[in-house]
Amino acid sequence: MADASKVLSISPVIPVVTIDDPQDAVPLARALAAGGVKIIELTLRTESALTSLKLIADEVPDILVGAGTILTPGQAADAVSAGAQFLVSPGVTPALLTQMLTFDVPVLPGVATVGEVMTVLESGLDTMKFFPAGPAGGPNYLAAIGAPIPHVQFCPTGGISLATAPDYLKLPNVSCVGGSWLTPAAAVKSGDWNRITELAREAAGLNASV
Ligand code: 3PG
């Protein structure tokens, strides 16, 4: 089983990115890398997401590109075929978990409850996405999970900003956070790659305690 802790240690923030036009994929990835963020969770929320993923995997070798928003076993297989270097799901089902674990890439399954954390632990994984972090209870909730289950590392995502990220990053069970704020839709649409590099630089400067 591939080690997902390396994925969590690349950057204090994993950008959660949605790309409509594959022509934006490579410049967007390069803009993030120029700001010091060498990882992307590319969501499978658009028709052309797999095309964008493949372009980044082929043309931006200094970025680790993973597929996010994986909802079905079929999507996991398609993402790996397109070059996904890690897999992220917003939640888990037994079938999805089993399928994701058949590939030789790190997997970050999404969890929001203690029972889901325990289910994923039973599959042998101790790194998970905590989603949706803000609405599900925020840093206090994660700190509380850390009392009975201190050995799981989380990447909380959902409702986090540059301002609130430090509240999560100071927790001993948080290695990094995820968020879409590094790639605002307006900046992507207008090709404002400098803005994205600036946002990446700010995010890369955050301190992760783990
Ligand atoms: C995700 O899939 O992780 C979220 O949609 C990202 O949440 P955010 O847009 O609130 O950062």
Side-chain angles (χ1 to χ4, degrees):
M1 180 181 310
D3 182 6
S5 60
K6 287 191 195 125
V7 173
L8 268 53
S9 67
I10 290 174
S11 166
V13 183
I14 298 182
V16 178
V17 178
T18 299
I19 298 177
D20 283 310
D21 183 349
Q23 286 197 353
D24 292 332
V26 168
L28 181 151
R30 289 194 177 132
L32 287 169
V37 172
K38 307 277 177 82
I39 184 165
I40 293 181
E41 176 190 329
L42 185 66
T43 69
L44 302 190
R45 294 181 200 173
T46 58
E47 291 266 315
S48 56
L50 290 176
T51 305
S52 295
L53 194 148
K54 188 164 170 26
L55 283 167
I56 297 171
D58 289 348
E59 294 184 31
V60 195
D62 54 337
I63 280 255
L64 193 78
V65 59
T69 319
I70 292 185
L71 303 177
T72 66
Q75 283 180 316
D78 291 347
V80 172
S81 300
Q85 292 157 315
F86 63 97
L87 300 174
V88 188
S89 65
V92 280
T93 68
L96 179 57
L97 199 50
T98 302
Q99 170 78 339
M100 289 201 295
L101 290 172
T102 61
F103 304 108
D104 191 25
V105 298
V107 171
L108 276 182
V111 294
T113 68
V114 177
E116 288 163 9
V117 172
M118 291 166 66
T119 299
V120 175
L121 267 176
E122 281 176 4
S123 75
L125 294 176
D126 57 7
T127 45
M128 306 173 199
K129 167 168 170 150
F130 174 58
F131 179 80
N140 289 345
Y141 187 96
L142 267 181
I145 292 180
I149 311 177
H151 51 295
V152 171
Q153 282 295 311
F154 294 98
C155 174
T157 306
I160 301 179
S161 64
L162 182 73
T164 60
D167 297 337
Y168 291 91
L169 290 170
K170 68 184 180 204
L171 297 173
N173 58 353
V174 171
S175 310
C176 64
V177 301
S180 61
W181 83 86
L182 280 69
T183 53
V188 177
K189 199 159 183 248
S190 62
D192 189 353
W193 310 124
N194 288 339
R195 175 74 186 132
I196 287 175
T197 296
E198 208 176 286
L199 290 164
R201 197 166 284 129
E202 278 175 349
L206 290 167
N207 284 320
S209 67
V210 182

